[in-house]
Amino acid sequence: MMKKWAISAVVYLFIVIVGYNVYVNWAGKEAVPAHEQGAAYNGDKVDTHEEEPHEQGGHGAAHDDQHGDHGGHGTAESEVIANIDVSNKEMNISLQDQQGNAVEELEVNHEKLLHLIVVDDHLETYVHLHPEQIGPGEFKINHSLPDGSYKAFIDIKPKSLSYAVTPISFAIGDQEKEHAHPQLTADAVFEQKVDDYKVTLNLSELKAGQDVTLTFDLHGKQPEPYLGAQGHVVILDESGEKYLHVHPANNKDTIFETSFDEPGLYKIWAEFKQDGAVRAFPFVVEVQ
C-alpha cells in the first residue's frame, strides 16, 4: 500500500513539474516584444513608430529662433497664415493663426510692422510697400498695378509664432494667354543706372551653401538712412519661390552678407535712398 502511494506521489509531482515548465515557456514567449522575435521584424516592415504626446504651446517654444527669418534658410513650419486680397486699387492683408484667430503681436522690423514685396511673374515689376494696420491682424494700402499675374511676399516678425515667408499668387485684370517671356540671364557686368544714379555690385565667390558677400559701390552718392539701415536687398530665385530679405552687415557700409541654398539664377534688388528718393537697382547673378 505504501509503495503504491509513493509511486502515485512521484507521478503527480512529475506532472506538476512538466506542466509548470510548459506554462512558463508559453507565457515568456507572449511577453517578448514582436521586434525581438526574429525575422518577422526585419522582413515584414513592422511599424514600430509611436506618436509622442505634444505639450500645449510646444510649437511656439520650439521655434522661437525662427522668428525674423527673412528667407529660405528656415525649415520651421509656419504657424501664421497670411493672405492678400487685391481689388479696386486696394491691397488688403490678413494674418491668422492655425485656429483662425487674428495674429496681433508683431515686432517692429526695420521701423515697420509689415513689409510687402510684390513682383510680377516675369520678375520685371518690383515694389516694396508698407501697408498700415487697420485692425487686429489686418493691414491695407492703396496701390495700383497694371493687369497681370503677381506674387506677394508678406514679411513680418510675429512675437510668439513661427513664420516663413512664402509667395502668394494673385492676378489683376485680363491675363495673358501666353506667358512666354525672356528667361533670366546672368548679367555680364554688374552695374546698373536708375535716374542717373549708378550702382556697381561686387561679389565674392558665388557658390551654393557658402557665405556670400555683396558689396555695392554707389560712386560717391552716399545713401541716406532708409528704414533704419543703409539699404535693403531682396533676392528671389528664377521661379520666384525662394525669398531672401537681407540687411547690411553694419550701419556704415553698403555691404550685405547672405547665402544661397541651391545653385541657379537669382535676381537681386538693391534699394538705396539718395537725395530723398528710394531706388531699386536690379541685378541677375548665377550661383554655382
Side-chain angles (χ1 to χ4, degrees):
M1 189 69 158
M2 183 66 69
K3 185 176 180 180
K4 290 182 179 181
W5 181 86
I7 293 174
S8 298
V10 171
V11 172
Y12 176 80
L13 182 61
F14 175 79
I15 293 173
V16 169
I17 293 173
V18 172
Y20 176 78
N21 288 331
V22 171
Y23 170 79
V24 168
N25 289 334
W26 175 83
K29 183 177 180 180
E30 287 295 311
V32 175
H35 66 273
E36 293 181 5
Q37 292 181 12
Y41 172 73
N42 293 323
D44 296 340
K45 297 183 181 179
V46 176
D47 183 9
T48 60
H49 175 72
E50 294 182 0
E51 291 287 339
E52 294 184 1
H54 294 288
E55 296 181 3
Q56 286 187 336
H59 286 296
H63 299 307
D64 281 347
D65 60 341
Q66 296 296 335
H67 297 171
D69 178 22
H70 292 291
H73 299 300
T75 57
E77 180 181 356
S78 181
E79 295 177 299
V80 177
I81 301 170
N83 288 300
I84 185 169
D85 179 60
V86 180
S87 61
N88 298 325
K89 302 179 182 179
E90 187 176 279
M91 298 183 180
N92 291 276
I93 293 170
S94 64
L95 307 173
Q96 296 179 330
D97 62 17
Q98 297 289 349
Q99 289 71 46
N101 303 310
V103 174
E104 302 182 45
E105 296 186 356
L106 301 177
E107 294 183 17
V108 174
N109 178 28
H110 280 267
E111 300 184 353
K112 298 293 181 180
L113 289 176
L114 187 149
H115 297 262
L116 172 62
I117 306 297
V118 178
V119 300
D120 68 348
D121 277 354
H122 302 174
L123 299 186
E124 294 173 355
T125 299
Y126 170 88
V127 291
H128 182 168
L129 305 170
H130 302 105
E132 295 295 325
Q133 187 170 17
I134 59 174
E138 300 288 337
F139 292 78
K140 182 179 78 171
I141 191 169
N142 294 321
H143 187 84
S144 298
L145 290 168
D147 291 356
S149 299
Y150 296 90
K151 289 180 180 179
F153 298 85
I154 298 171
D155 199 334
I156 55 173
K157 197 172 181 181
K159 288 185 178 181
S160 59
L161 297 172
S162 64
Y163 179 68
V165 182
T166 55
I168 304 172
S169 297
F170 68 92
I172 297 176
D174 295 331
Q175 303 306 298
E176 298 176 351
K177 293 182 180 180
E178 297 181 0
H179 290 275
H181 58 88
Q183 294 183 344
L184 289 184
T185 56
D187 293 340
V189 178
F190 297 120
E191 184 173 287
Q192 293 290 340
K193 183 180 287 188
V194 178
D195 298 334
D196 291 328
Y197 289 81
K198 184 169 64 174
V199 171
T200 301
L201 169 61
N202 297 300
L203 294 159
S204 64
E205 191 172 16
L206 282 173
K207 285 192 175 181
Q210 296 185 5
D211 292 339
V212 175
T213 300
L214 313 174
T215 303
F216 295 91
D217 181 2
L218 277 56
H219 298 277
K221 291 285 187 179
Q222 292 304 311
E224 302 165 15
Y226 171 50
L227 300 174
Q230 291 291 88
H232 296 262
V233 168
V234 170
I235 305 173
L236 289 175
D237 70 329
E238 186 176 16
S239 63
E241 295 293 323
K242 297 175 183 177
Y243 169 88
L244 292 172
H245 186 174
V246 191
H247 298 133
N250 58 60
N251 293 325
K252 297 180 179 180
D253 305 311
T254 51
I255 299 174
F256 300 75
E257 297 175 348
T258 188
S259 63
F260 299 88
D261 291 339
E262 297 179 3
L265 291 171
Y266 292 82
K267 190 157 188 177
I268 298 171
W269 291 271
E271 299 179 38
F272 301 105
K273 185 176 182 180
Q274 298 167 298
D275 295 332
V278 178
R279 300 173 181 85
F281 298 84
F283 300 89
V284 179
V285 301
E286 183 172 7
V287 177
Q288 300 298 324

